[in-house]
Every structure is written in C-alpha cells, then in structure tokens.
C-alpha cells in the first residue's frame, strides 16, 4: 500500500458514490465520445483556486488521493491537470506525467505514487525555470487506478499579492491571467479555497470567481485550516459556511486537511480523513456543520459528485444532441463490410458526387444549404462588370474632348490645326483600354472563387467521412480549376493586347464620332 493512503476498505466519498451516481453519466458521455463528439461533451473540470498558501493543494490532494508538492511561497508554478481514470480490470496503479517543451512532448512513466511529487517539481523547473516564476504551459498527470473516479482536477498557482525574492514584479497579474483563463470556461467548477482564520471578504480568489461566474452557478467555497481559527471567531466561520456572510448559490463547505506536522508524523491520507472527522465531532462549534453535511473531505467529495452529475447534464443539452444527430445522418451509414458491396458503395458515392456537379453545371443544384445558385451569383458579378463598362464609356466620352485638346496643346508638331495626330488618338485610347484590364482580371478571380467554393462544398458534403476519397477528389479538381483559370487569364491578357491595336472601319463608329464633334477644331496659337 502506498503512502497516498489508497485502501480498498477506505476510499474517499467520491469513490463510494461513483458507481451509483456518476457511472451512468460517464457511460453516456463515453458512448457519445465514440461517435466523435468528445469536444462538445467533456467532463467538467474542477479547478482549485485560492490565495497563496490557502491550502488548495491540500484539498486537491485529499480529493484525488495523490500527494502533490506543498510548502511556503508559490508551490504550484504551472497549471497541473490531474486526470483520474478508473480501471476495473486490475488493481495495478499506473501514472504518466507529460508536458511540452519547445513543441517536444516529454513523458515520464510513474510506477509508484511516491514518485509524483519529485516528478511534478522537475517538470515545473523545466517549464518555469529555477526560482519562483510561473508558466502557462500545462503539466498533465494521468493516473489509472481502481481506487479513483473518472475525473479531471486542475491545480492552479496561488495568488501572490507582492513579489518576493526573485519573483517577477508583475507576478500577481501573471497568476491572475492564468487563473482566469481556466475558470472562465463554462465546463469548469471553481473550488475557491479560503483559510477559515482570515476575513473571507479580503479573498482575491473569491473576487475573481465572482467576476467570471457572477451568479455563482459554478463556484463552491471551501474553508480550510479550521484548527487555526482564533477563539471567539468560531461563530463567524459557522455563519460563513451557512452562507450568511458572502452568499454563493452553491454555498460553502469546510475541511481539515493534513498539515505539515501530520506529514512529518507520516500520517497517510486515510488516517488524515479519520483525524479530520474526529476534529469536527469534538468541536462544539463545528459539530453542527458536520451533522448538516457541510464538513469533511468525504462529504465534500459526495457534494462534488452531485455537482458533477448536474453539470454534465447541463452540458448535454438538446441542441447539441440534435446537431450531432444531424451531422451523423449526413455522414451516412458507413462503408459495408462485404467486398462486393464496398465496390458498389464506392460507385454510388462517385455517381452521387458527379450528379451534384452536373446539377451545378445545369444551374439545377440542390439549394438546401444555399439560397442562391452559382449561376445566379456569377450573373450578378457580370452585371457589376457591365455597369463598370457603361460607367467607363460615359466617363471616357465626357473627358475625351479635354484630353485631345490637352495633347494638341502640349504635343502638336507641324500638323495643321484641325488635324489630330493618329498617334495622339491611339495613345488616349490605349490608356482607357488598359484601365479596364485589372477590373477584368478581378472579375475572373471572383468567379473562380465562387466556383471553387461551390465545388469544395460539394466535395466535403460527399466525402468528408472518407479522408482518402476526399483527397482523391479535391486534388485533381483543384488542379483542373487552376489550369482553367490560367487559360482564362491568358485569354483576357490576349484580348486586351488586341484591343490596344486601335483600328476600325466601322461606319457607325465614324459617323457618331464626327457627329458629336469629339475631334474639335483647334485654334491656331
């Protein structure tokens, strides 16, 4: 038996109520997780927060049965995610500690609970350096045992008010930013740990929890160190636990964890639970709290069991289940097991995909996921192009007289008044033609994007569940679209090159041009 205090005969209250209350919810989550919706249905995490040396790591240790680093100053220097996984096949304890350093995954296999403390301290030194600075990098400690529940606990650094020693000057802000990043998640239940021998109104941890959870739906206050309460202050502690001082919807509980002297006396966690119970039974002020179910670690664990079940139920809401069912329906029934049926299945998928593309080609695509057909969108783009052309024609006609006059004034050579140089006219026409080339290329890119978006949606809707088919369809289609884009782009460039060769024998052009007096008589200067 390890020093952690694991025992078949005496497990925590959370373990005792696990099978009866938590297991049905865990089974439901596991079944949905197997369908690929784990990100929406994570089990709520329990984040233990508190001011420096408030006893939060001791609470976490008592709940999990795992001895974590403790001491004065900043002991928890990195967020520690403690993943507890219950196994029923054997009684062997297994632990894995992991973290990332410079994108490289570091992992250490733990064979005994006694190795945890040194392993965590070493990982903190690697991530946060030597000294008392902190790091946002997560340390993950996964424990598999028959004596733990399926649960995630997070230990966060204690809030330091003033930088001491070699701590950064902004250590308080750093720690607050780190804590807020975790407790603002709706999946997190915040356990705000406060020593019973201080004024709870001065607690920064409780203020932070109220900021991200103003209604107190996810916050539970935990009072520690009741043995250090000054005489005469016991009634104030009782009023606090009874939610009569600073109210929280989840209320408060009070616990007495192992102190340093208990650790020096080699008091294991199971013995510490017995000592805690005797303390509350023997205290005339706190005995009523024990009788009301508001004191001791086992009763706190039982309370957390209830909170966990309710929190899981809240996260598995109807809308998520409906959306998941809809997404699963879109994926279809999956690939048949029979080889012949697999071939027929593949042919069917490809045929359906081709039919969808043909529908777009004929402007008859399914509009269930869009309210506008691709052809309509492209037609709208060309409508804008037509407006741009018309606007350019009007603008050119308005300014052409002035441009001709300006060219004649600045560049007229030996030609007689009233005769405009062909080169002058050609230069003006080329300039206005060139101004249309960039908008024409933009139109091509916009149309290409519309077609690409449409085809990409069709590919994903038919092959998203089959990664190899998805890639096999996407690659040649993207290559084909790019090839056709290059051809169209080259044609546009070629067309504008031809338009820059100014030549016309069109009588309509000539008659209108002269009738409007575009080429004016120039006065001799």
């Amino acid at each position: 038996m390890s020093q952690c205090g694991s025992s078949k005969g005496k497990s925590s209250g959370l373990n005792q109520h696990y099978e009866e209350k938590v297991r049905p919810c865990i089974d439901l989550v596991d079944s949905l997780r197997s369908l690929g919706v784990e990100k929406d249905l994570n089990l709520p995490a329990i984040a233990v927060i508190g001011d420096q040396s408030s006893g939060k790591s001791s609470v976490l240790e008592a709940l999990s049965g795992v001895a974590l680093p403790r001491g004065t100053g900043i002991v928890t220097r990195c967020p520690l995610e403690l993943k507890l996984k219950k196994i029923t096949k054997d009684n062997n304890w297994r632990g894995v500690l992991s973290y990332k350093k410079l994108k490289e995954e570091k992992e250490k296999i733990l064979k005994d609970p006694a190795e945890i403390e040194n392993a965590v301290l070493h990982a903190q030194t690697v991530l946060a350096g030597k000294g008392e600075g902190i790091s946002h990098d997560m340390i993950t400690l996964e424990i598999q045992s028959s004596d733990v529940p399926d649960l995630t606990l997070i230990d966060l650094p204690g809030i330091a008010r003033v930088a001491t020693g070699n701590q950064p000057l902004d250590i308080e802000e750093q720690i607050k930013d780190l804590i807020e990043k975790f407790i603002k998640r709706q999946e997190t239940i915040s356990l705000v740990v406060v020593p019973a021998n201080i004024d709870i109104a001065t607690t920064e941890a409780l203020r932070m929890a109220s900021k991200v959870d103003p209604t107190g739906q996810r916050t539970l206050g935990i009072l520690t160190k009741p043995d250090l309460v000054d005489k005469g202050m016991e009634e104030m502690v009782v009023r606090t636990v009874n939610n009569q001082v600073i109210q929280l919807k989840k209320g408060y509980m009070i616990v007495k964890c192992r102190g340093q002297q208990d650790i020096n006396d080699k008091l294991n966690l199971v013995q510490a639970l017995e000592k805690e119970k005797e303390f509350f039974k023997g205290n005339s002020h706190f005995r009523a709290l024990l009788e009301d179910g508001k004191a001791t670690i086992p009763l706190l664990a039982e309370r957390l069991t209830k909170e966990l079940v309710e929190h899981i139920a809240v996260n598995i809401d109807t809308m998520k289940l409906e959306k998941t069912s809809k997404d699963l329906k879109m994926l279809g029934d999956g690939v048949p097991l029979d080889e012949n049926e697999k071939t027929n299945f593949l042919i069917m998928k490809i045929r359906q995909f081709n039919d969808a593309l043909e529908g777009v080609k004929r402007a008859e695509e399914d509009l269930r996921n869009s309210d506008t057909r691709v052809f309509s969108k492209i037609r709208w783009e060309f409508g804008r192009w037509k407006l741009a052309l018309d606007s350019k024609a009007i603008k050119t006609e308005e300014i052409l007289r002035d441009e001709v006059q300006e060219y004649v004034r600045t560049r007229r050579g030996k030609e007689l008044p009233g005769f405009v140089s062909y080169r002058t006219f050609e230069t003006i026409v080329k300039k206005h033609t060139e101004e249309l080339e960039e908008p024409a290329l933009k139109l091509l890119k916009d149309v290409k994007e519309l077609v690409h978006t449409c085809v990409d949606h069709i590919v994903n809707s038919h092959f998203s569940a089959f990664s190899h088919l998805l890639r096999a369809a996407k690659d040649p289609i993207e290559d084909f679209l790019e090839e056709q884009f290059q051809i169209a782009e080259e044609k546009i460039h070629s067309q504008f090159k031809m338009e820059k060769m100014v030549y016309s024998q069109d009588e309509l052009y000539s008659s209108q041009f002269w009738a409007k007096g575009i080429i004016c008589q120039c006065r001799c200067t």
Side-chain angles (χ1 to χ4, degrees):
M1 188 63 62
S2 69
Q3 192 175 349
C4 278
S6 296
S7 171
K8 292 182 180 179
K10 291 187 177 182
S11 58
S12 72
L14 193 56
N15 285 329
Q16 293 170 2
H17 294 268
Y18 171 76
E19 290 295 336
E20 177 184 354
K21 296 184 178 180
V22 178
R23 188 73 252 176
C25 289
I26 302 297
D27 288 341
L28 173 60
V29 172
D30 286 343
S31 64
L32 291 171
R33 182 185 291 120
S34 66
L35 297 176
V37 291
E38 181 178 5
K39 62 183 178 64
D40 292 321
L41 299 166
N42 284 334
L43 294 179
I46 298 178
V48 186
I49 66 173
D51 288 8
Q52 188 173 299
S53 302
S54 60
K56 60 181 183 56
S57 292
S58 299
V59 173
L60 187 64
E61 171 189 270
L63 287 170
S64 65
V66 175
L68 298 170
R70 59 162 67 210
T72 58
I74 300 178
V75 179
T76 305
R77 299 170 55 211
C78 300
L80 174 65
E81 183 181 33
L82 184 60
K83 294 183 177 180
L84 305 176
K85 295 188 176 182
K86 186 178 184 67
I87 55 176
T88 56
K89 293 182 179 179
D90 57 62
N91 294 325
N92 294 328
W93 186 95
R94 289 191 291 272
V96 179
L97 185 139
S98 61
Y99 56 91
K100 284 186 177 180
K101 180 65 175 178
L102 299 176
K103 296 184 179 181
E104 182 181 353
E105 185 78 24
K106 303 286 186 180
E107 185 174 285
K108 179 178 177 60
I109 306 300
L110 305 174
K111 299 180 179 179
D112 190 277
E115 301 176 19
I116 290 177
E117 184 171 359
N118 289 334
V120 171
L121 290 173
H122 173 73
Q124 289 186 156
T125 301
V126 172
L127 295 176
K130 296 181 179 180
E132 298 183 36
I134 68 167
S135 171
H136 283 237
D137 295 326
M138 175 80 77
I139 299 173
T140 299
L141 177 60
E142 183 176 313
I143 295 174
Q144 296 185 18
S145 170
S146 59
D147 295 322
V148 299
D150 283 318
L151 186 63
T152 298
L153 305 166
I154 300 175
D155 189 19
L156 298 171
I159 302 171
R161 299 298 183 92
V162 181
T164 59
N166 59 354
Q167 293 177 354
L169 295 178
D170 63 342
I171 186 66
E172 180 180 6
E173 293 303 317
Q174 288 187 31
I175 293 175
K176 287 181 179 179
D177 289 344
L178 175 59
I179 291 174
E180 186 171 339
K181 183 175 75 172
F182 283 90
I183 64 175
K184 68 182 181 182
R185 293 175 48 210
Q186 293 301 309
E187 296 84 5
T188 301
I189 296 175
S190 298
L191 298 188
V192 182
V193 179
V194 184
N197 60 334
I198 70 168
D199 183 1
I200 191 173
T202 64
T203 304
E204 182 65 21
L206 187 58
R207 188 196 67 80
M208 289 187 65
S210 299
K211 177 183 175 183
V212 298
D213 180 30
T215 61
Q217 297 286 350
R218 301 182 289 107
T219 305
L220 177 64
I222 309 296
L223 269 61
T224 61
K225 307 179 181 180
D227 52 320
L228 301 182
V229 175
D230 293 335
K231 289 185 178 181
M233 295 300 296
E234 295 91 349
E235 287 304 318
M236 175 60 71
V237 173
V238 172
R239 291 183 63 238
T240 300
V241 177
N242 286 328
N243 214 12
Q244 297 173 353
V245 179
I246 296 179
Q247 295 185 354
L248 295 174
K249 285 191 176 181
K250 288 190 180 297
Y252 297 81
M253 294 195 69
I254 186 169
V255 297
K256 181 183 178 300
C257 302
R258 291 193 305 175
Q260 190 58 49
Q261 186 60 50
D262 293 327
I263 296 175
N264 294 339
D265 294 339
K266 300 188 182 303
L267 186 75
N268 65 37
L269 293 175
V270 173
Q271 294 169 335
L273 292 178
E274 289 292 342
K275 185 176 180 180
E276 177 194 38
K277 187 175 181 179
E278 291 302 319
F279 169 81
F280 284 108
K281 278 185 176 181
N283 189 294
S284 59
H285 297 282
F286 301 148
R287 186 183 304 117
L289 298 178
L290 176 63
E291 294 171 353
D292 292 340
K294 297 178 180 179
T296 73
I297 287 293
L299 292 179
L300 170 62
E302 183 178 350
R303 170 73 182 277
L304 287 176
T305 303
K306 177 177 178 292
E307 299 293 345
L308 279 169
V309 173
E310 293 178 353
H311 211 55
I312 292 172
V314 168
N315 282 280
I316 308 177
D317 56 66
T318 305
M319 290 184 63
K320 287 182 179 178
L321 290 177
E322 288 180 352
K323 182 180 183 300
T324 301
S325 299
K326 182 179 178 182
D327 292 342
L328 290 173
K329 186 177 181 180
M330 290 180 62
L331 294 177
D333 297 328
V335 181
L337 298 178
D338 182 81
E339 291 298 325
N340 292 329
E341 291 183 1
K342 284 183 180 179
T343 303
N344 294 332
F345 177 81
L346 177 60
I347 294 172
M348 180 193 68
K349 295 296 292 184
I350 295 175
R351 181 182 295 117
Q352 290 173 346
F353 172 66
N354 288 335
D355 290 344
L357 290 179
E358 282 294 324
V360 174
K361 177 182 173 183
R362 297 191 301 267
E364 297 174 356
E365 69 265 31
D366 188 354
L367 292 183
R368 281 179 296 180
N369 298 316
S370 175
D371 58 354
T372 309
R373 287 196 164 98
V374 177
F375 264 73
S376 298
K377 294 178 181 179
I378 294 175
R379 188 178 295 108
W380 186 78
E381 292 291 339
F382 273 94
R384 292 175 57 195
W385 170 245
K386 176 64 166 53
L387 291 176
L389 288 177
D390 293 343
S391 175
K392 180 64 177 174
I394 295 172
K395 182 179 179 182
T396 301
E397 187 173 333
E398 291 174 349
I399 66 174
L400 187 57
R401 182 193 302 273
D402 295 334
E403 288 184 338
V404 170
Q405 288 181 342
E406 178 64 20
Y407 269 87
V408 169
R409 187 184 68 81
T410 58
R411 301 188 182 186
R412 198 186 87 183
K414 64 181 181 180
E415 61 267 20
L416 295 174
F419 293 89
V420 179
S421 165
Y422 170 76
R423 190 172 298 278
T424 297
F425 177 75
E426 183 183 44
T427 300
I428 295 173
V429 173
K430 281 184 177 181
K431 180 173 77 72
H432 287 286
T433 302
E434 288 172 353
E435 290 176 356
L436 289 171
E437 186 170 3
E438 185 175 343
L441 292 172
K442 183 181 184 301
L443 171 65
L444 173 63
K445 291 178 181 177
D446 290 342
V447 171
K448 176 201 172 187
E449 187 62 31
L450 287 174
V451 174
H452 184 274
T453 300
C454 173
V455 174
D456 193 60
H457 173 73
I458 293 174
V459 173
N460 287 326
S461 64
H462 284 78
F463 302 129
S464 59
F466 312 98
S467 57
H468 293 295
L469 276 177
L470 183 68
R471 196 70 265 162
K474 272 193 173 184
D475 288 344
I477 288 176
E478 290 176 355
D479 292 343
F480 176 76
L481 289 176
E482 183 62 29
E483 179 184 339
Q484 295 303 309
F485 172 77
Q486 297 295 336
I487 293 174
E489 189 177 45
E490 184 58 37
K491 285 185 177 181
I492 291 176
H493 285 304
S494 177
Q495 185 67 37
F496 273 91
K497 285 181 182 179
M498 290 188 289
E499 291 293 335
K500 291 174 186 177
M501 293 185 289
V502 182
Y503 176 78
S504 176
Q505 291 183 333
D506 189 339
E507 293 182 0
L508 180 61
Y509 158 76
S510 301
S511 61
Q512 287 185 349
F513 190 76
W514 287 105
K516 293 182 180 180
I518 299 300
I519 300 209
C520 63
Q521 295 291 331
C522 298
R523 293 190 293 270
C524 296
T525 57

